[in-house]
């Protein structure tokens, strides 16, 4: 087991290991126990009562957090003609088609956080799928990053749109803001996020859906939320 630093150990003493906190209590505690010198990201880790090995129990989607994530995401749009112009006007950081694909392929260039594409360019993008996939950058219709409505897609990402999806252990890991947001904004972001995940519950899911919920700041201890109280 890795040895924890003194600041972490002291912060962890403020958290009751076996207690399940209400949302506002948990958010306040996450802020108090943030040990980093920078404005730490607050993350939610949500274990669901589904089996990600089955296609009919997948949980994946997107949601626009009301107060964003606190990150200025760099958006690359792969589009041509009028759609490229639309992307530029919407505030995309980089826009192009073949030239951007070649740049990624030959220069190993990844100075962007989200790639959005029009359906007609997916053949081009397929050439670098093996490079984009492991980095989680491959555009996907379910995530709203393969679309003809380029302006909306760019605006949503800039406004704080995030993608949530199950990992192999049936847990969703997502950022939900910065410590500096304060309790009210972080709680509103969390409520919006958890509402979207509940709405995305697969019909094939049986038993308890929200198994456990933990919030934590970057390098801070985890604070557990009572899954039965998230809608209070």
């Amino acid at each position: 087991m890795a040895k924890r630093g003194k600041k972490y150990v002291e912060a962890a003493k403020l958290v009751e290991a076996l207690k399940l906190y209400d949302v506002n209590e948990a958010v306040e505690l996450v802020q108090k126990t943030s040990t980093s010198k920078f404005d730490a990201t607050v993350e939610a880790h949500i274990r669901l009562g589904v089996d990600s090995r089955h296609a009919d129990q997948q949980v994946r989607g997107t949601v626009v957090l009301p107060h964003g994530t606190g990150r200025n995401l760099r958006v690359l749009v792969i589009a041509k003609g009028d759609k490229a112009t639309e992307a530029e006007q919407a505030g995309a950081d980089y826009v192009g088609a073949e030239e951007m694909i070649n740049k990624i392929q030959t220069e190993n260039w990844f100075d962007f956080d989200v790639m959005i594409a029009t359906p007609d360019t997916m053949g081009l993008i397929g050439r670098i799928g093996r490079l984009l996939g492991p980095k989680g950058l491959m555009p996907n219709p379910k995530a709203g990053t393969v679309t003809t409505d380029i302006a909306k897609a760019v605006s949503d990402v800039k406004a704080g749109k995030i993608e949530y999806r199950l990992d192999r252990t049936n847990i969703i890991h997502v950022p939900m803001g910065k410590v500096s947001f304060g309790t009210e904004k972080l709680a509103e972001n969390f409520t919006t996020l958890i509402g979207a995940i509940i709405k995305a519950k697969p019909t094939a899911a049986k038993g308890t859906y929200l198994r456990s919920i933990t919030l934590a700041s970057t390098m801070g201890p985890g604070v557990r939320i009572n899954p039965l109280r998230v809608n209070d």
Side-chain angles (χ1 to χ4, degrees):
M1 183 175 179
K3 186 177 180 181
R4 299 291 190 179
K6 184 183 295 185
K7 287 184 178 181
Y8 179 95
V9 172
E10 289 301 313
K13 291 178 181 178
L14 300 175
V15 182
E16 295 182 41
L18 300 180
K19 181 175 179 178
L20 297 178
Y21 292 86
D22 289 339
V23 174
N24 283 350
E25 287 182 308
V27 169
E28 289 175 0
L29 201 46
V30 165
Q31 294 170 88
K32 288 180 182 178
T33 56
S34 177
T35 61
S36 61
K37 294 181 180 179
F38 54 88
D39 190 7
T41 296
V42 177
E43 297 179 348
H45 307 277
I46 304 160
R47 183 184 296 276
L48 300 181
V50 296
D51 189 342
S52 61
R53 294 174 299 179
H54 300 293
D56 61 353
Q57 294 187 47
Q58 290 295 321
V59 179
R60 179 177 184 175
T62 61
V63 60
V64 178
L65 300 179
H67 303 289
T69 62
R71 293 184 61 199
N72 182 22
L73 297 178
R74 301 162 298 175
V75 178
L76 165 62
V77 174
I78 305 298
K80 301 177 181 179
D82 291 343
K83 292 299 178 181
T85 302
E86 185 180 321
E88 292 171 352
Q89 293 174 342
D93 298 274
Y94 309 102
V95 181
E98 288 91 346
E99 70 276 20
M100 302 307 297
I101 300 298
N102 290 336
K103 187 177 179 66
I104 293 169
Q105 198 167 27
T106 60
E107 300 178 23
N108 199 35
W109 177 78
F110 289 100
D111 291 343
F112 58 93
D113 303 294
V114 178
M115 179 186 283
I116 297 170
T118 53
D120 61 304
T121 63
M122 288 305 293
L124 287 174
I125 293 171
R127 289 163 27 193
I128 57 170
R130 60 184 180 81
L131 299 176
L132 298 173
K135 295 180 180 293
L137 294 171
M138 189 71 180
N140 187 292
K142 292 183 178 179
T145 48
V146 178
T147 178
T148 56
D149 195 346
I150 292 296
K152 184 178 186 303
V154 173
S155 297
D156 283 350
V157 170
K158 292 291 186 179
K161 180 180 178 180
I162 60 169
E163 181 182 5
Y164 58 85
R165 62 185 300 180
L166 283 177
D167 68 7
R168 292 180 180 178
T169 60
N170 304 318
I171 301 176
I172 291 173
H173 308 273
V174 283
M176 47 167 274
K178 296 284 187 178
V179 166
S180 64
F181 280 18
T183 301
E184 184 176 347
K185 289 182 178 180
L186 285 171
E188 287 178 3
N189 274 1
F190 172 79
T191 299
T192 299
L193 169 65
I194 205 69
I197 292 173
I198 290 173
K199 189 175 181 180
K201 179 181 179 180
T203 55
K206 306 297 180 184
T208 303
Y209 182 54
L210 298 177
R211 290 288 179 85
S212 69
I213 304 171
T214 302
L215 302 186
S217 65
T218 307
M219 300 190 295
V223 181
R224 299 171 66 201
I225 286 179
N226 186 344
L228 301 177
R229 299 290 300 277
V230 294
N231 291 323
D232 288 0

